[in-house]
């Protein structure tokens, strides 16, 4: 994987958030490729419960300052960056006061999903792509982890389909176990269609539950990794019959070789 460029886009990454299957793999996989001589970047949202002082986040003025349109509203984009200690891995944080300046990730203190999680996901996807364009850094692979990042494949295949920078970029989506039970805002599909995404292409978002969001993401990816041993049988079957190259679940002690081989044989 030497000199291959891989962009990791994740809902959660350690050490910035608590350990879970998404945040751990979103650290372990980039570290593995970094150790192999690959060039990597990690993007995640800058949630309000990330300790900026402890993790030494700082704003990148040359990348910040643009506005992104979400559901016909202009939302300022702020980019912050930090380095994972000892690993020489840069992590870019997509920030916006309206969407991310709150003391939790996906739910309020009562455990209720934030009503604007759909817009946060759209903003995150657009923010990642716009920032990578400004960096003029062309990834060979974009590897998506976690449902908050699941809009990125959709926007890459439609909203950004004419961007020459990404003409040869392939998208891999890792699918994890179900992380919420409710629906996001039922108007989500309208907000995506507003960005000239064909309604038929995202019809699953008419009922924006976890499984349907992941289905929409899978359909717009070039390859899929089953990253959890607890992916539902219905979603597993959807992956198996999607026609996409897919890697079945492999335990953590074996993932490094399996992921590397999958990248080389089915994605690059």
């Amino acid at each position: 994987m030497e000199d291959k460029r891989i962009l990791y886009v994740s809902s959660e990454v350690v050490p910035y958030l608590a350990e879970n299957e998404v945040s751990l793999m979103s650290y372990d996989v980039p570290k593995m490729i970094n150790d192999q001589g690959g060039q990597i970047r990690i993007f995640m949202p800058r949630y309000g419960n990330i300790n900026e002082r402890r993790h030494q986040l700082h704003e990148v003025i040359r990348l910040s300052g643009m506005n992104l349109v979400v559901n016909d509203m202009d939302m300022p984009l702020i980019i912050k960056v930090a380095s994972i200690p000892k690993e020489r891995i840069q992590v870019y944080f997509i920030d916006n006061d309206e969407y991310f300046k709150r003391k939790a990730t996906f739910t309020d203190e009562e455990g209720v999903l934030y009503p604007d999680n759909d817009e946060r996901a759209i903003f995150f996807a657009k923010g990642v792509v716009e920032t990578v364009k400004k960096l003029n850094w062309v990834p060979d692979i974009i590897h998506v982890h976690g449902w908050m990042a699941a809009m990125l494949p959709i926007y890459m295949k439609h909203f950004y389909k004419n961007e020459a920078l990404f003409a040869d970029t392939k998208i891999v989506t890792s699918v994890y176990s179900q992380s919420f039970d409710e629906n996001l805002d039922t108007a989500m599909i309208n907000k995506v269609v507003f960005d000239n995404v064909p309604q038929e292409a995202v019809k699953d978002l008419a009922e924006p539950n976890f499984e349907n969001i992941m289905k929409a993401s899978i359909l717009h990816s070039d390859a899929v990794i089953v990253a959890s041993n607890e992916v539902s049988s219905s979603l597993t079957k959807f992956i198996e019959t999607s026609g996409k190259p897919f890697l079945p679940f492999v335990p953590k002690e074996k993932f490094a070789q399996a992921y590397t081989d999958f990248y080389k044989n089915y994605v690059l």
Side-chain angles (χ1 to χ4, degrees), residues 89-137:
I89 294 175
Q90 277 200 316
V91 180
Y92 291 82
F93 296 84
I94 300 295
D95 197 5
N96 169 273
D97 286 349
E98 183 76 23
Y99 286 139
F100 295 111
K101 199 171 186 178
R102 49 190 86 161
K103 292 298 181 184
T105 50
F106 312 124
T107 63
D108 63 21
E109 56 245 352
E110 306 295 323
V112 177
L113 285 170
Y114 289 124
D116 61 353
N117 272 341
D118 60 328
E119 294 183 12
R120 297 167 91 206
I122 293 168
F123 182 87
F124 180 48
K126 286 185 168 182
V128 169
V129 180
E130 294 295 346
T131 304
V132 173
K133 283 166 57 181
K134 271 199 171 183
L135 290 169
N136 200 30
W137 189 79

Side-chain angles (χ1 to χ4, degrees), residues 9-13 16-17 42-50 57 78 80 91-96 99-100 104-106 120-121 123-125 128 145 148-149:
V9 183
S10 180
S11 301
E12 307 164 80
V13 183
Y16 305 104
L17 293 169
I42 302 175
F43 277 73
M44 68 177 291
R46 206 292 297 173
Y47 306 104
N49 56 344
I50 294 172
L57 273 67
I78 301 165
K80 295 175 180 174
V91 180
Y92 291 82
F93 296 84
I94 300 295
D95 197 5
N96 169 273
Y99 286 139
F100 295 111
T105 50
F106 312 124
R120 297 167 91 206
F123 182 87
F124 180 48
V128 169
H145 298 258
M148 182 65 84

Side-chain angles (χ1 to χ4, degrees), residues 73-88:
M73 293 184 298
D74 277 350
M75 307 301 289
L77 172 65
I78 301 165
I79 305 296
K80 295 175 180 174
V81 70
S83 293
I84 296 178
K86 302 177 185 174
E87 297 299 338
R88 292 186 303 177

